[in-house]
Every structure is written in structure tokens, then in C-alpha cells.
Amino acid sequence: MKNFTRSIKSFSLAALSAATLFGAQAHAAYPERTVTWIVPFPPGGAMDVIARTLGEAMGNELGQSFVIENKPGAGGNIGASQVAKAKPDGYTIMIVANGMAVNPSLYKSLNYDPIKDFEPISLLADVPNVLVTQATRNDINSVQDVIEQTKANPGKYSYASAGIGTSIHLAGALFTYLSKTDILHVPYRGSGPAVSDLLGGQVDYMFDSITSAKPHIDAGKLKVLGITTAKRSATLPDVPTIAESGLEGYELRPWFGTFAPAGTPPEVIDTLNKAMLKAMDSEKVKTTFATIGAEKIGSSPAELKTYLADETEKWQKIIQETGISAN
């Protein structure tokens, strides 16, 4: 009987050890298949470039592909809603921008909660926006020219954006608020089509991401008038900030971060975070970031969680003061 009891105990311990080992091996195998990375805007913008560049580097590091899926619409809300409802297993992640902090105040109702429905992974980078117009316009050569022209002709001129709630929209809304000008906002489904109409003269201005604007600036098709951030950009060092151009207090810092659905295991989040931070230190990613005017941030999940909460509170106040609306 003692031998039988000892055998049972031995079997139980062996089974427990095997189960523990199996669980550890199963976890250690993540990711075992392709990871879908949702970009809630069309291809071509800074967000898309950052995701594709990091996805390739992370795939090389983790041994599985990161496939980018563009899900544009509603200021990023369509893609965010999809990720919020995705299985929390680490195989669906999302890149976001300022809209993650802005949309709760901008939209009367959302079918997801930016704080409760996601697990933060890491802050990635910030990418300045630039105020641009057609290079052929000889009447506009500075931020002050824009202010004087639009004040003299309320409602006559327009600015394009990549959609309501995007950093491009917010940059324009903040500009009109502080400058006390009346410039029509024309939202598009992404930066690409907005730039296309700007180049064609269908709209007058755009506070575009430096990523999508710079090739057209270099080609002599767009004229850059100012940078939206508090400091000048290393990518366009000779271009003044909008604040130093005379619009005191103006600053908009577009940032990008990554999230997974709420409930994604902490170990998986940690794996993604470490791979992401390592990817941002690779030479290829550094070169791409420099090319598109992105400045690396990087963070822990906890730091991103705090940052999102602070940004959400800040933009709630700004939206209340400026009257910015999604309608």
C-alpha cells in the first residue's frame, strides 16, 4: 500500500512537472504564427511607415511575420473598435496617434473605451506636422501671411486633414482658435488623398505630417511655412516653429504608440514591448525614422498608460475651450 501511495505521488509530481513544462514551452513559443498589426488609417502616412518598419524588424527578432492591415475611417475609430473586440492573445495589435486621447472628448459616443479596452505596449515616436501650401503661391511665404490673408477673408480659405480627430485636424483647429481666424476644415480619409487635393489646389492649406509632406517639399511642389512642435525639427532645421513665427502658445506634438486588446497576458505584452524597443535601436529603423522626421520615444507599458491618461485630460480641456467638434 505504501509503495502504491508513493507511486501515486510520484505520478502526480511527474504530471505536474510535465504540465508546468508544457505551459512554459507553450508560452515561450509566442508568437507561434503571424501577428496582425492594425493601422487605423490608409497607407502612406507616418503611422503606416512606422508600423511597417517596426513590424519587419520585430518579425526578424521574434521569428514570425507582422502583417500590416490598414483599417481607415472615422478618425481611427473603425480600426480601434476592431482591435478592442479582437481576441486578447497577442496576435492583434494596433498603432495609434493623438486621436486615442482626443476621441473620447471629440465624439459624443464611442463603441470602445480607449483606457479600459486596451493594454498599452509602448510609446514609439513623435513626428512633427508642418503647415504647407502650394509652392506656386507667391502671395504666401510665412505663417503671418496665412493669418493676415484668412483674417481678411473669413471662410474663403480651407485646410485639409487626414480625418476628424487626427493630429492634422487638431493642428488646424488649434491654429484657427489661437489666431482667431475662420478657415474651413475639409476632412479626408487619410493623408494621401488630402495631399493629392492640396497639390491640385482643391484646398489651400494643410498641417500635414512631415513624413508625407517632405517628398513634395523636396520636389518643389509644396511650400513649408512652419512646424507645429515647440522645437524645430532636425529634418527641416531652417523652418521656424509656428509659435516663433508669431502665434504665441501654439504647440502640437503628434505622438504614436501601440496597444493590444484588454486582457492580453502580461507576458505577451512584455515580449512585444522588448521586441519593439530593440527594433527601435536597429540601424534600419533609426535610418527610416530619420528619413520620415520621426524622433524615437520608447517606453514601458506603464509609462504609456500614464501618458495616455495625461493626454486624454489635456485634450479634454483644449476641446472644451476651442469648441472642436467631430460634427
Side-chain angles (χ1 to χ4, degrees):
M1 187 67 172
K2 289 181 180 180
N3 290 336
F4 177 76
T5 302
R6 279 198 296 269
S7 297
I8 290 295
K9 288 181 178 179
S10 297
F11 175 79
S12 298
L13 289 171
L16 179 61
S17 298
T20 302
L21 179 61
F22 175 79
Q25 288 175 335
H27 168 64
Y30 174 83
E32 295 180 300
R33 52 186 171 85
T34 297
V35 177
T36 298
W37 192 332
I38 299 296
V39 177
F41 289 92
M47 181 183 289
D48 185 66
V49 174
I50 289 172
R52 291 179 188 278
T53 304
L54 284 178
E56 180 182 358
M58 290 174 67
N60 293 335
E61 171 68 19
L62 297 175
Q64 293 291 343
S65 298
F66 281 69
V67 175
I68 307 303
E69 286 190 10
N70 297 88
K71 298 289 183 180
N77 288 331
I78 291 176
S81 177
Q82 178 179 327
V83 175
K85 298 171 184 175
K87 188 176 180 180
D89 55 7
Y91 291 99
T92 303
I93 63 174
M94 173 178 67
I95 184 171
V96 303
N98 301 56
M100 193 73 162
V102 173
N103 288 348
S105 299
L106 195 64
Y107 290 84
K108 292 182 179 179
S109 62
L110 292 176
N111 56 357
Y112 66 91
D113 187 311
I115 303 293
K116 296 179 182 178
D117 290 343
F118 301 94
E119 299 290 348
I121 301 172
S122 176
L123 275 166
L124 300 177
D126 56 27
V127 181
N129 286 358
V130 287
L131 172 55
V132 289
T133 190
Q134 297 88 3
T136 53
R137 295 190 60 181
N138 296 320
D139 59 327
I140 299 296
N141 294 294
S142 69
V143 170
Q144 282 302 319
D145 286 345
V146 176
I147 294 173
E148 291 173 10
Q149 179 202 65
T150 52
K151 275 190 173 181
N153 302 275
K156 180 179 177 181
Y157 295 94
S158 59
Y159 73 92
S161 83
I164 293 171
T166 62
S167 67
I168 299 173
H169 171 212
L170 298 173
L174 189 60
F175 183 88
T176 57
Y177 172 71
L178 292 176
S179 63
K180 295 180 173 57
T181 53
D182 180 9
I183 311 175
L184 176 66
H185 171 223
V186 183
Y188 289 78
R189 289 174 62 88
S191 180
V195 172
S196 179
D197 270 11
L198 176 67
L199 291 169
Q202 282 80 18
V203 287
D204 301 292
Y205 300 105
M206 188 171 176
F207 293 80
D208 195 22
S209 165
I210 198 171
T211 303
S212 58
K214 192 172 185 299
H216 301 294
I217 295 169
D218 292 342
K221 296 180 179 180
L222 288 179
K223 179 187 299 185
V224 58
L225 306 171
I227 298 278
T228 65
T229 45
K231 296 180 180 180
R232 293 193 182 197
S233 168
T235 304
L236 295 171
D238 295 330
V239 178
T241 68
I242 291 176
E244 70 178 291
S245 298
L247 194 55
E248 186 177 347
Y250 185 96
E251 179 188 2
L252 185 127
R253 180 195 183 201
W255 55 269
F256 298 91
T258 44
F259 290 81
T264 301
E267 309 83 46
V268 172
I269 295 293
D270 184 60
T271 297
L272 289 167
N273 175 266
K274 288 178 179 177
M276 211 164 277
L277 295 178
K278 187 172 182 178
M280 282 190 277
D281 282 333
S282 70
E283 288 305 316
K284 185 173 182 180
V285 171
K286 285 181 179 179
T287 299
T288 301
F289 273 27
T291 300
I292 66 174
E295 297 182 11
K296 169 194 165 184
I297 304 175
S299 75
S300 68
E303 287 169 335
L304 174 51
K305 183 178 182 179
T306 300
Y307 188 78
L308 177 61
D310 291 343
E311 281 285 290
T312 301
E313 183 179 354
K314 180 185 81 174
W315 278 104
Q316 181 181 30
K317 293 178 181 178
I318 292 175
I319 288 171
Q320 288 175 347
E321 291 176 3
T322 60
I324 300 171
S325 172
N327 300 317

